[in-house]
Structure formats: structure tokens, C-alpha cells
Amino acid sequence: MKTSEKNVALVLSSGGARGMAHVGVIEELEKAGYNIRSIAGSSIGAVVGGIYATGNLNAFAEWVNNLHKFDVFRLMDFTLSTQGFIKGEKVFEEIRKFVEDKNIEDLDIPFVAIAADVFNRREVVLNKGSLFHAVRASIAIPTVLQPKKINGIELVDGGVVNPIPVEHVHRSRNDILVVVDLNSTFPYKKPQFDKAAQELNKNQYKQVFEKLKKKFRYNHSHGKSSSPRLGYYELLQKSMNLMQEKLSEMILEKYQPDLLIRISRKACKTFEFYRSNEMIEAGKEAFHRAIRESNT
């Protein structure tokens, strides 16, 4: 990578709560003097990338890191719908308090979110219209979050079709293609960070997950059985992880980024947002690790 070139085309992958590592990567890119000139994101990558494009990423990171200050149950708008047991609207109502929704075409940098139209079996590239509608569609995990209807079409999580949308990021002459992959298969080592906030958040989230476990028969073997019987939620989560992992491998084989920043898929589970502080630090460490590897 030529350090004299400072313009970055940034691609942020899907990966649930691991997506807070995107925040750490962006922070370190800016500290190193790089200029993020365009972003493409899928699922949580679309959320972080879209909010960054509005100039409100710091406020978003602070909000996620301090979710214990809010009534977590109030954000989990459960529903009996067969399309998903969480509406996902209350979270965006909270985000609207510190992030103004904008049309994508009015953002300061080119931005693209990816979603899936499963009815017509196709990828949908969202590069205009409401930013919030686009990112809400991109994170609609099938059967968990209800689909988002845009232009009469029900859209679900972009990770279903394209977890690393390299081909859709806007490129400019002599820019650096930087990809953050949240679905890498190497072992995870926890970074050094202040654990106090994480432990406080974890106590709040445990109530939510206990409710989910009872409702959807979530089972965890803790190593007691080599062939555990998976519950509804765990089966869904593991299936999505496997799909995104394999798709990510194929995409990265086809498209060679100038800088690949990898986060282990074992870092945390999809909804463990109480570990946001840890994931941000993991993103920072992964950035510097990638820089060292690129210079060897």
C-alpha cells in the first residue's frame, strides 16, 4: 500500500454486533490521516457506514456503548408477526434523536447499502432515497427483524446475498480500497479495554436474552455434548454465520483489496451489543495489525 495515497474507498461487511469494530477501524483510519471518500456497506456495515456519512458516528458509538442508560426492553419492539419477532422501529426512533435522516444522494460522500429481495431472488443496491429506510432494510435479518418495504418490495438483510459489497463502492483515481471483513475464521483474542461498561450493559441485556431463550428454545451446550440440539435462534444464527463466511471467502478471492482488515467471527455473537466497547477496540487493533502485515 502506498502511504502517499490518502483517499479511501471503504467497504464494511455484515456481521451483527461485531460491526462495532467498524467504528474502531474508521477512527484509526482518520487518526492516520486517511480520507474516507466513499462507503459501501451490508447489514451492520450499512448502519455504521451510513451514520458515518452523516457525520454522527461518535454520537452513535457513545449511544451504543451506554445502552444501559436506556430501557432495553423499550427498544425491543416484539411482535407476533410471522415475518420477524422484532419490528426494529424503536431503535431507529432513538437514533433519530441524534442523527437526522437524509436522502442518500444528499450525503457528503457516496454511500451504498445492500439489501436482498428474496421474492425476486436478487440483490438490491440502495443508493438514493431515505438513508434510514436503506439501512433498516439492510439489517432485516430474516425471521428476526421484519422486512422493510421500499417501493412496494419487501427487503431483507444484505448479508444474505452480498456480505462484502466490494463491487458497489464508488472508486476514484488512485484511491485505496479498504475492506473490513467481520466473518474471518481465525481465532479471536480479546483486546485490552475497560470492562466496567461492558459488564454493566451485559446485566441489562441478559434479561432480553433470557426472554428470547424461553420463547425460541435457545439451547447452548457449553461443550457438554459434541452434537447439541440447536434451538430456533441458535440454528438461525449459526446458519447465517456459515452462509456469510462462505460468501465472504468467495468475494475476497475475486476482489483483492489494498488493505484487508479482518475480525474473527468468533469475536461475539449477532446481538451482543453490550460488547460494543470491546469490539471498537478489536477494530482498532485489527487495523494496526493489517497495516503491519501490509508493510512486511
Side-chain angles (χ1 to χ4, degrees):
M1 185 176 65
K2 297 179 180 180
T3 56
S4 60
E5 302 294 349
K6 291 292 187 176
N7 290 338
V8 166
L10 182 61
V11 181
L12 305 176
S13 86
S14 58
R18 296 189 299 280
M20 293 308 293
H22 291 322
V23 176
V25 170
I26 290 172
E27 288 180 357
E28 294 307 296
L29 277 169
E30 291 191 325
K31 285 181 183 178
Y34 291 94
N35 304 309
I36 300 173
R37 303 300 296 272
S38 62
I39 299 178
S42 189
S43 195
I44 190 65
V47 175
V48 174
I51 291 177
Y52 172 79
T54 69
N56 292 279
L57 188 61
N58 289 340
F60 173 74
E62 181 179 358
W63 175 72
V64 173
N65 280 333
N66 291 281
L67 275 177
H68 63 276
K69 294 180 179 179
F70 298 87
D71 182 355
V72 177
F73 285 107
R74 184 168 57 86
L75 300 180
M76 305 292 282
D77 45 1
F78 294 103
T79 177
L80 296 177
S81 170
T82 57
Q83 291 188 309
F85 58 83
I86 298 175
K87 293 179 181 179
E89 301 304 326
K90 287 189 176 181
V91 171
F92 282 91
E93 289 175 8
E94 288 292 339
I95 293 176
R96 285 178 189 273
K97 294 179 180 179
F98 55 89
V99 179
E100 179 186 359
D101 189 15
K102 295 183 177 181
N103 285 332
I104 294 174
E105 56 268 36
D106 295 331
L107 296 172
D108 290 336
I109 61 175
F111 170 76
V112 170
I114 302 300
D117 174 3
V118 292
F119 183 81
N120 293 301
R121 303 171 61 188
R122 65 188 181 97
E123 173 186 79
V124 175
V125 179
L126 299 167
N127 56 12
K128 60 183 179 179
S130 166
L131 172 66
F132 278 15
H133 290 175
V135 299
R136 172 62 182 82
S138 190
I139 63 166
I141 302 172
T143 75
V144 178
L145 283 169
Q146 289 185 332
K148 179 65 178 178
K149 184 174 289 188
I150 296 179
N151 297 326
I153 301 172
E154 290 189 333
L155 302 177
V156 301
D157 196 297
V160 170
V161 288
N162 194 347
I164 311 178
V166 179
E167 69 271 37
H168 296 300
V169 70
H170 177 79
R171 301 298 304 274
S172 57
R173 185 177 181 181
N174 295 326
D175 66 6
I176 300 167
L177 177 61
V178 177
V179 170
V180 186
D181 174 22
L182 304 177
N183 299 294
S184 294
T185 57
F186 63 89
Y188 175 64
K189 182 179 179 181
K190 286 188 177 182
Q192 297 296 319
F193 70 103
D194 182 3
K195 296 183 179 180
Q198 175 172 307
E199 290 303 316
L200 188 59
N201 286 350
K202 184 175 182 178
N203 291 333
Q204 296 287 329
Y205 271 79
K206 281 182 69 175
Q207 301 175 58
V208 176
F209 288 121
E210 287 301 319
K211 186 173 182 178
L212 289 175
K213 288 176 183 178
K214 291 178 181 179
K215 187 173 183 179
F216 298 100
R217 297 171 59 195
Y218 178 92
N219 299 307
H220 190 67
S221 65
H222 297 288
K224 295 180 181 179
S225 171
S226 59
S227 301
R229 183 174 182 270
L230 299 178
Y232 173 91
Y233 169 72
E234 191 171 26
L235 178 62
L236 175 66
Q237 183 183 51
K238 286 184 178 294
S239 298
M240 285 287 291
N241 285 344
L242 178 60
M243 177 187 66
Q244 291 181 96
E245 174 191 327
K246 295 305 178 183
L247 282 173
S248 297
E249 289 177 359
M250 290 187 292
I251 290 169
L252 291 174
E253 284 182 9
K254 182 176 181 180
Y255 300 98
Q256 298 293 321
D258 298 305
L259 184 66
L260 174 60
I261 300 165
R262 302 187 303 150
I263 303 294
S264 172
R265 65 179 175 84
K266 298 179 182 178
C268 75
K269 296 180 180 179
T270 302
F271 293 109
E272 290 183 334
F273 283 97
Y274 64 84
R275 298 175 64 184
S276 292
N277 184 272
E278 177 187 343
M279 290 301 101
I280 290 174
E281 292 303 314
K284 293 179 179 180
E285 289 192 3
F287 169 79
H288 291 289
R289 182 170 60 247
I291 290 291
R292 290 194 300 270
E293 291 173 353
S294 70
N295 289 328
T296 58

PDB file of all heavy atoms in Angstrom, residues 115-144:
ATOM      1  N   ALA A 115     -29.267  -4.696   0.180  1.00  0.00           N
ATOM      2  CA  ALA A 115     -30.352  -5.482   0.752  1.00  0.00           C
ATOM      3  C   ALA A 115     -30.677  -6.619  -0.214  1.00  0.00           C
ATOM      4  O   ALA A 115     -30.131  -6.682  -1.316  1.00  0.00           O
ATOM      5  CB  ALA A 115     -31.581  -4.614   1.001  1.00  0.00           C
ATOM      6  N   ALA A 116     -31.554  -7.513   0.220  1.00  0.00           N
ATOM      7  CA  ALA A 116     -31.924  -8.661  -0.608  1.00  0.00           C
ATOM      8  C   ALA A 116     -33.426  -8.683  -0.842  1.00  0.00           C
ATOM      9  O   ALA A 116     -34.214  -8.533   0.102  1.00  0.00           O
ATOM     10  CB  ALA A 116     -31.479  -9.961   0.053  1.00  0.00           C
ATOM     11  N   ASP A 117     -33.800  -8.857  -2.074  1.00  0.00           N
ATOM     12  CA  ASP A 117     -35.195  -9.067  -2.468  1.00  0.00           C
ATOM     13  C   ASP A 117     -35.351 -10.575  -2.664  1.00  0.00           C
ATOM     14  O   ASP A 117     -35.062 -11.105  -3.744  1.00  0.00           O
ATOM     15  CB  ASP A 117     -35.489  -8.304  -3.763  1.00  0.00           C
ATOM     16  CG  ASP A 117     -36.870  -8.588  -4.330  1.00  0.00           C
ATOM     17  OD1 ASP A 117     -37.644  -9.334  -3.692  1.00  0.00           O
ATOM     18  OD2 ASP A 117     -37.171  -8.076  -5.429  1.00  0.00           O
ATOM     19  N   VAL A 118     -35.766 -11.280  -1.611  1.00  0.00           N
ATOM     20  CA  VAL A 118     -35.809 -12.736  -1.678  1.00  0.00           C
ATOM     21  C   VAL A 118     -36.952 -13.232  -2.563  1.00  0.00           C
ATOM     22  O   VAL A 118     -36.869 -14.327  -3.136  1.00  0.00           O
ATOM     23  CB  VAL A 118     -35.912 -13.359  -0.262  1.00  0.00           C
ATOM     24  CG1 VAL A 118     -34.633 -13.138   0.510  1.00  0.00           C
ATOM     25  CG2 VAL A 118     -37.098 -12.808   0.509  1.00  0.00           C
ATOM     26  N   PHE A 119     -38.009 -12.443  -2.687  1.00  0.00           N
ATOM     27  CA  PHE A 119     -39.135 -12.865  -3.525  1.00  0.00           C
ATOM     28  C   PHE A 119     -38.709 -12.967  -4.985  1.00  0.00           C
ATOM     29  O   PHE A 119     -39.043 -13.931  -5.679  1.00  0.00           O
ATOM     30  CB  PHE A 119     -40.304 -11.887  -3.374  1.00  0.00           C
ATOM     31  CG  PHE A 119     -41.531 -12.291  -4.147  1.00  0.00           C
ATOM     32  CD1 PHE A 119     -42.400 -13.242  -3.630  1.00  0.00           C
ATOM     33  CD2 PHE A 119     -41.818 -11.735  -5.387  1.00  0.00           C
ATOM     34  CE1 PHE A 119     -43.534 -13.634  -4.342  1.00  0.00           C
ATOM     35  CE2 PHE A 119     -42.949 -12.122  -6.104  1.00  0.00           C
ATOM     36  CZ  PHE A 119     -43.803 -13.070  -5.577  1.00  0.00           C
ATOM     37  N   ASN A 120     -37.937 -11.957  -5.439  1.00  0.00           N
ATOM     38  CA  ASN A 120     -37.466 -11.951  -6.824  1.00  0.00           C
ATOM     39  C   ASN A 120     -36.033 -12.475  -6.958  1.00  0.00           C
ATOM     40  O   ASN A 120     -35.436 -12.401  -8.037  1.00  0.00           O
ATOM     41  CB  ASN A 120     -37.544 -10.532  -7.393  1.00  0.00           C
ATOM     42  CG  ASN A 120     -38.983 -10.063  -7.543  1.00  0.00           C
ATOM     43  OD1 ASN A 120     -39.783 -10.679  -8.239  1.00  0.00           O
ATOM     44  ND2 ASN A 120     -39.321  -8.973  -6.852  1.00  0.00           N
ATOM     45  N   ARG A 121     -35.481 -12.952  -5.833  1.00  0.00           N
ATOM     46  CA  ARG A 121     -34.167 -13.602  -5.814  1.00  0.00           C
ATOM     47  C   ARG A 121     -33.080 -12.708  -6.411  1.00  0.00           C
ATOM     48  O   ARG A 121     -32.366 -13.092  -7.320  1.00  0.00           O
ATOM     49  CB  ARG A 121     -34.228 -14.935  -6.560  1.00  0.00           C
ATOM     50  CG  ARG A 121     -35.262 -15.889  -6.018  1.00  0.00           C
ATOM     51  CD  ARG A 121     -35.448 -17.095  -6.893  1.00  0.00           C
ATOM     52  NE  ARG A 121     -34.187 -17.866  -7.012  1.00  0.00           N
ATOM     53  CZ  ARG A 121     -34.027 -18.885  -7.839  1.00  0.00           C
ATOM     54  NH1 ARG A 121     -35.017 -19.246  -8.641  1.00  0.00           N
ATOM     55  NH2 ARG A 121     -32.879 -19.533  -7.875  1.00  0.00           N
ATOM     56  N   ARG A 122     -32.940 -11.508  -5.839  1.00  0.00           N
ATOM     57  CA  ARG A 122     -31.950 -10.588  -6.394  1.00  0.00           C
ATOM     58  C   ARG A 122     -31.383  -9.668  -5.316  1.00  0.00           C
ATOM     59  O   ARG A 122     -31.991  -9.459  -4.265  1.00  0.00           O
ATOM     60  CB  ARG A 122     -32.566  -9.737  -7.509  1.00  0.00           C
ATOM     61  CG  ARG A 122     -33.658  -8.783  -7.042  1.00  0.00           C
ATOM     62  CD  ARG A 122     -34.379  -8.111  -8.185  1.00  0.00           C
ATOM     63  NE  ARG A 122     -35.402  -7.186  -7.711  1.00  0.00           N
ATOM     64  CZ  ARG A 122     -35.238  -5.878  -7.581  1.00  0.00           C
ATOM     65  NH1 ARG A 122     -34.071  -5.320  -7.907  1.00  0.00           N
ATOM     66  NH2 ARG A 122     -36.214  -5.102  -7.154  1.00  0.00           N
ATOM     67  N   GLU A 123     -30.205  -9.156  -5.616  1.00  0.00           N
ATOM     68  CA  GLU A 123     -29.566  -8.147  -4.779  1.00  0.00           C
ATOM     69  C   GLU A 123     -30.153  -6.784  -5.114  1.00  0.00           C
ATOM     70  O   GLU A 123     -30.430  -6.490  -6.267  1.00  0.00           O
ATOM     71  CB  GLU A 123     -28.063  -8.167  -5.055  1.00  0.00           C
ATOM     72  CG  GLU A 123     -27.260  -7.077  -4.407  1.00  0.00           C
ATOM     73  CD  GLU A 123     -25.812  -7.099  -4.874  1.00  0.00           C
ATOM     74  OE1 GLU A 123     -25.538  -6.601  -5.987  1.00  0.00           O
ATOM     75  OE2 GLU A 123     -24.978  -7.621  -4.141  1.00  0.00           O
ATOM     76  N   VAL A 124     -30.326  -5.943  -4.092  1.00  0.00           N
ATOM     77  CA  VAL A 124     -30.837  -4.597  -4.304  1.00  0.00           C
ATOM     78  C   VAL A 124     -29.802  -3.609  -3.790  1.00  0.00           C
ATOM     79  O   VAL A 124     -29.379  -3.683  -2.633  1.00  0.00           O
ATOM     80  CB  VAL A 124     -32.181  -4.377  -3.587  1.00  0.00           C
ATOM     81  CG1 VAL A 124     -32.639  -2.934  -3.731  1.00  0.00           C
ATOM     82  CG2 VAL A 124     -33.233  -5.329  -4.147  1.00  0.00           C
ATOM     83  N   VAL A 125     -29.387  -2.705  -4.665  1.00  0.00           N
ATOM     84  CA  VAL A 125     -28.417  -1.673  -4.314  1.00  0.00           C
ATOM     85  C   VAL A 125     -29.171  -0.396  -3.987  1.00  0.00           C
ATOM     86  O   VAL A 125     -29.864   0.160  -4.840  1.00  0.00           O
ATOM     87  CB  VAL A 125     -27.423  -1.433  -5.472  1.00  0.00           C
ATOM     88  CG1 VAL A 125     -26.432  -0.334  -5.101  1.00  0.00           C
ATOM     89  CG2 VAL A 125     -26.685  -2.721  -5.811  1.00  0.00           C
ATOM     90  N   LEU A 126     -29.045   0.058  -2.754  1.00  0.00           N
ATOM     91  CA  LEU A 126     -29.768   1.241  -2.286  1.00  0.00           C
ATOM     92  C   LEU A 126     -28.807   2.426  -2.256  1.00  0.00           C
ATOM     93  O   LEU A 126     -27.956   2.528  -1.361  1.00  0.00           O
ATOM     94  CB  LEU A 126     -30.358   0.978  -0.905  1.00  0.00           C
ATOM     95  CG  LEU A 126     -31.372  -0.185  -0.860  1.00  0.00           C
ATOM     96  CD1 LEU A 126     -31.669  -0.584   0.579  1.00  0.00           C
ATOM     97  CD2 LEU A 126     -32.647   0.183  -1.586  1.00  0.00           C
ATOM     98  N   ASN A 127     -28.914   3.314  -3.229  1.00  0.00           N
ATOM     99  CA  ASN A 127     -28.005   4.458  -3.342  1.00  0.00           C
ATOM    100  C   ASN A 127     -28.748   5.787  -3.485  1.00  0.00           C
ATOM    101  O   ASN A 127     -28.159   6.794  -3.869  1.00  0.00           O
ATOM    102  CB  ASN A 127     -27.037   4.267  -4.501  1.00  0.00           C
ATOM    103  CG  ASN A 127     -27.748   4.021  -5.824  1.00  0.00           C
ATOM    104  OD1 ASN A 127     -28.965   4.206  -5.925  1.00  0.00           O
ATOM    105  ND2 ASN A 127     -26.997   3.599  -6.828  1.00  0.00           N
ATOM    106  N   LYS A 128     -30.036   5.777  -3.173  1.00  0.00           N
ATOM    107  CA  LYS A 128     -30.810   7.013  -3.168  1.00  0.00           C
ATOM    108  C   LYS A 128     -32.018   6.832  -2.259  1.00  0.00           C
ATOM    109  O   LYS A 128     -32.365   5.714  -1.870  1.00  0.00           O
ATOM    110  CB  LYS A 128     -31.253   7.403  -4.580  1.00  0.00           C
ATOM    111  CG  LYS A 128     -32.116   6.377  -5.271  1.00  0.00           C
ATOM    112  CD  LYS A 128     -32.445   6.840  -6.693  1.00  0.00           C
ATOM    113  CE  LYS A 128     -33.289   5.793  -7.417  1.00  0.00           C
ATOM    114  NZ  LYS A 128     -33.634   6.227  -8.792  1.00  0.00           N
ATOM    115  N   GLY A 129     -32.663   7.947  -1.927  1.00  0.00           N
ATOM    116  CA  GLY A 129     -33.792   7.888  -1.016  1.00  0.00           C
ATOM    117  C   GLY A 129     -33.356   7.926   0.438  1.00  0.00           C
ATOM    118  O   GLY A 129     -32.189   8.171   0.758  1.00  0.00           O
ATOM    119  N   SER A 130     -34.300   7.683   1.341  1.00  0.00           N
ATOM    120  CA  SER A 130     -34.059   7.774   2.776  1.00  0.00           C
ATOM    121  C   SER A 130     -32.921   6.878   3.234  1.00  0.00           C
ATOM    122  O   SER A 130     -32.922   5.665   2.990  1.00  0.00           O
ATOM    123  CB  SER A 130     -35.334   7.404   3.540  1.00  0.00           C
ATOM    124  OG  SER A 130     -35.060   7.171   4.911  1.00  0.00           O
ATOM    125  N   LEU A 131     -31.953   7.477   3.930  1.00  0.00           N
ATOM    126  CA  LEU A 131     -30.847   6.699   4.491  1.00  0.00           C
ATOM    127  C   LEU A 131     -31.360   5.702   5.518  1.00  0.00           C
ATOM    128  O   LEU A 131     -30.959   4.527   5.507  1.00  0.00           O
ATOM    129  CB  LEU A 131     -29.826   7.640   5.148  1.00  0.00           C
ATOM    130  CG  LEU A 131     -28.701   6.968   5.938  1.00  0.00           C
ATOM    131  CD1 LEU A 131     -27.802   6.162   5.014  1.00  0.00           C
ATOM    132  CD2 LEU A 131     -27.904   7.996   6.719  1.00  0.00           C
ATOM    133  N   PHE A 132     -32.254   6.140   6.397  1.00  0.00           N
ATOM    134  CA  PHE A 132     -32.762   5.256   7.443  1.00  0.00           C
ATOM    135  C   PHE A 132     -33.531   4.068   6.857  1.00  0.00           C
ATOM    136  O   PHE A 132     -33.422   2.951   7.355  1.00  0.00           O
ATOM    137  CB  PHE A 132     -33.650   6.036   8.411  1.00  0.00           C
ATOM    138  CG  PHE A 132     -32.883   6.797   9.458  1.00  0.00           C
ATOM    139  CD1 PHE A 132     -31.526   7.006   9.328  1.00  0.00           C
ATOM    140  CD2 PHE A 132     -33.527   7.308  10.571  1.00  0.00           C
ATOM    141  CE1 PHE A 132     -30.813   7.706  10.284  1.00  0.00           C
ATOM    142  CE2 PHE A 132     -32.823   8.009  11.543  1.00  0.00           C
ATOM    143  CZ  PHE A 132     -31.461   8.216  11.395  1.00  0.00           C
ATOM    144  N   HIS A 133     -34.309   4.310   5.825  1.00  0.00           N
ATOM    145  CA  HIS A 133     -35.028   3.208   5.195  1.00  0.00           C
ATOM    146  C   HIS A 133     -34.052   2.203   4.578  1.00  0.00           C
ATOM    147  O   HIS A 133     -34.263   0.988   4.662  1.00  0.00           O
ATOM    148  CB  HIS A 133     -35.978   3.733   4.117  1.00  0.00           C
ATOM    149  CG  HIS A 133     -37.151   4.475   4.667  1.00  0.00           C
ATOM    150  ND1 HIS A 133     -38.074   5.121   3.864  1.00  0.00           N
ATOM    151  CD2 HIS A 133     -37.562   4.688   5.943  1.00  0.00           C
ATOM    152  CE1 HIS A 133     -39.000   5.683   4.620  1.00  0.00           C
ATOM    153  NE2 HIS A 133     -38.705   5.438   5.885  1.00  0.00           N
ATOM    154  N   ALA A 134     -32.982   2.719   3.988  1.00  0.00           N
ATOM    155  CA  ALA A 134     -31.993   1.848   3.350  1.00  0.00           C
ATOM    156  C   ALA A 134     -31.280   0.969   4.369  1.00  0.00           C
ATOM    157  O   ALA A 134     -31.159  -0.245   4.178  1.00  0.00           O
ATOM    158  CB  ALA A 134     -30.983   2.682   2.568  1.00  0.00           C
ATOM    159  N   VAL A 135     -30.800   1.579   5.460  1.00  0.00           N
ATOM    160  CA  VAL A 135     -30.061   0.784   6.440  1.00  0.00           C
ATOM    161  C   VAL A 135     -31.000  -0.136   7.212  1.00  0.00           C
ATOM    162  O   VAL A 135     -30.612  -1.254   7.603  1.00  0.00           O
ATOM    163  CB  VAL A 135     -29.232   1.669   7.392  1.00  0.00           C
ATOM    164  CG1 VAL A 135     -28.201   2.460   6.612  1.00  0.00           C
ATOM    165  CG2 VAL A 135     -30.101   2.594   8.228  1.00  0.00           C
ATOM    166  N   ARG A 136     -32.240   0.288   7.427  1.00  0.00           N
ATOM    167  CA  ARG A 136     -33.216  -0.593   8.086  1.00  0.00           C
ATOM    168  C   ARG A 136     -33.474  -1.833   7.236  1.00  0.00           C
ATOM    169  O   ARG A 136     -33.589  -2.951   7.754  1.00  0.00           O
ATOM    170  CB  ARG A 136     -34.512   0.177   8.351  1.00  0.00           C
ATOM    171  CG  ARG A 136     -35.675  -0.675   8.856  1.00  0.00           C
ATOM    172  CD  ARG A 136     -35.374  -1.340  10.188  1.00  0.00           C
ATOM    173  NE  ARG A 136     -36.494  -2.172  10.600  1.00  0.00           N
ATOM    174  CZ  ARG A 136     -36.710  -3.405  10.162  1.00  0.00           C
ATOM    175  NH1 ARG A 136     -35.885  -3.962   9.302  1.00  0.00           N
ATOM    176  NH2 ARG A 136     -37.760  -4.095  10.609  1.00  0.00           N
ATOM    177  N   ALA A 137     -33.564  -1.663   5.927  1.00  0.00           N
ATOM    178  CA  ALA A 137     -33.737  -2.811   5.044  1.00  0.00           C
ATOM    179  C   ALA A 137     -32.507  -3.703   5.072  1.00  0.00           C
ATOM    180  O   ALA A 137     -32.603  -4.942   5.097  1.00  0.00           O
ATOM    181  CB  ALA A 137     -34.007  -2.344   3.618  1.00  0.00           C
ATOM    182  N   SER A 138     -31.339  -3.091   5.092  1.00  0.00           N
ATOM    183  CA  SER A 138     -30.092  -3.849   5.004  1.00  0.00           C
ATOM    184  C   SER A 138     -29.834  -4.710   6.227  1.00  0.00           C
ATOM    185  O   SER A 138     -29.104  -5.699   6.142  1.00  0.00           O
ATOM    186  CB  SER A 138     -28.918  -2.888   4.790  1.00  0.00           C
ATOM    187  OG  SER A 138     -27.732  -3.587   4.473  1.00  0.00           O
ATOM    188  N   ILE A 139     -30.424  -4.357   7.396  1.00  0.00           N
ATOM    189  CA  ILE A 139     -30.189  -5.147   8.610  1.00  0.00           C
ATOM    190  C   ILE A 139     -31.358  -6.064   8.969  1.00  0.00           C
ATOM    191  O   ILE A 139     -31.384  -6.638  10.060  1.00  0.00           O
ATOM    192  CB  ILE A 139     -29.896  -4.243   9.820  1.00  0.00           C
ATOM    193  CG1 ILE A 139     -31.095  -3.351  10.146  1.00  0.00           C
ATOM    194  CG2 ILE A 139     -28.628  -3.441   9.616  1.00  0.00           C
ATOM    195  CD1 ILE A 139     -30.997  -2.691  11.510  1.00  0.00           C
ATOM    196  N   ALA A 140     -32.312  -6.246   8.072  1.00  0.00           N
ATOM    197  CA  ALA A 140     -33.507  -7.032   8.381  1.00  0.00           C
ATOM    198  C   ALA A 140     -33.190  -8.525   8.335  1.00  0.00           C
ATOM    199  O   ALA A 140     -33.494  -9.218   7.353  1.00  0.00           O
ATOM    200  CB  ALA A 140     -34.640  -6.680   7.413  1.00  0.00           C
ATOM    201  N   ILE A 141     -32.596  -9.032   9.408  1.00  0.00           N
ATOM    202  CA  ILE A 141     -32.230 -10.446   9.483  1.00  0.00           C
ATOM    203  C   ILE A 141     -33.490 -11.294   9.316  1.00  0.00           C
ATOM    204  O   ILE A 141     -34.454 -11.125  10.069  1.00  0.00           O
ATOM    205  CB  ILE A 141     -31.566 -10.769  10.829  1.00  0.00           C
ATOM    206  CG1 ILE A 141     -30.321  -9.903  11.029  1.00  0.00           C
ATOM    207  CG2 ILE A 141     -31.203 -12.245  10.913  1.00  0.00           C
ATOM    208  CD1 ILE A 141     -29.714 -10.022  12.404  1.00  0.00           C
ATOM    209  N   PRO A 142     -33.513 -12.200   8.346  1.00  0.00           N
ATOM    210  CA  PRO A 142     -34.717 -12.995   8.089  1.00  0.00           C
ATOM    211  C   PRO A 142     -35.228 -13.713   9.333  1.00  0.00           C
ATOM    212  O   PRO A 142     -34.455 -14.339  10.066  1.00  0.00           O
ATOM    213  CB  PRO A 142     -34.239 -13.995   7.027  1.00  0.00           C
ATOM    214  CG  PRO A 142     -33.128 -13.286   6.319  1.00  0.00           C
ATOM    215  CD  PRO A 142     -32.431 -12.497   7.394  1.00  0.00           C
ATOM    216  N   THR A 143     -36.526 -13.600   9.567  1.00  0.00           N
ATOM    217  CA  THR A 143     -37.302 -14.178  10.664  1.00  0.00           C
ATOM    218  C   THR A 143     -37.006 -13.539  12.018  1.00  0.00           C
ATOM    219  O   THR A 143     -37.689 -13.827  12.996  1.00  0.00           O
ATOM    220  CB  THR A 143     -37.122 -15.716  10.796  1.00  0.00           C
ATOM    221  OG1 THR A 143     -35.854 -16.002  11.374  1.00  0.00           O
ATOM    222  CG2 THR A 143     -37.278 -16.406   9.460  1.00  0.00           C
ATOM    223  N   VAL A 144     -36.017 -12.656  12.108  1.00  0.00           N
ATOM    224  CA  VAL A 144     -35.722 -11.947  13.360  1.00  0.00           C
ATOM    225  C   VAL A 144     -36.283 -10.529  13.291  1.00  0.00           C
ATOM    226  O   VAL A 144     -37.157 -10.161  14.070  1.00  0.00           O
ATOM    227  CB  VAL A 144     -34.209 -11.917  13.650  1.00  0.00           C
ATOM    228  CG1 VAL A 144     -33.937 -11.118  14.934  1.00  0.00           C
ATOM    229  CG2 VAL A 144     -33.662 -13.331  13.789  1.00  0.00           C
TER     230      VAL A 144
END
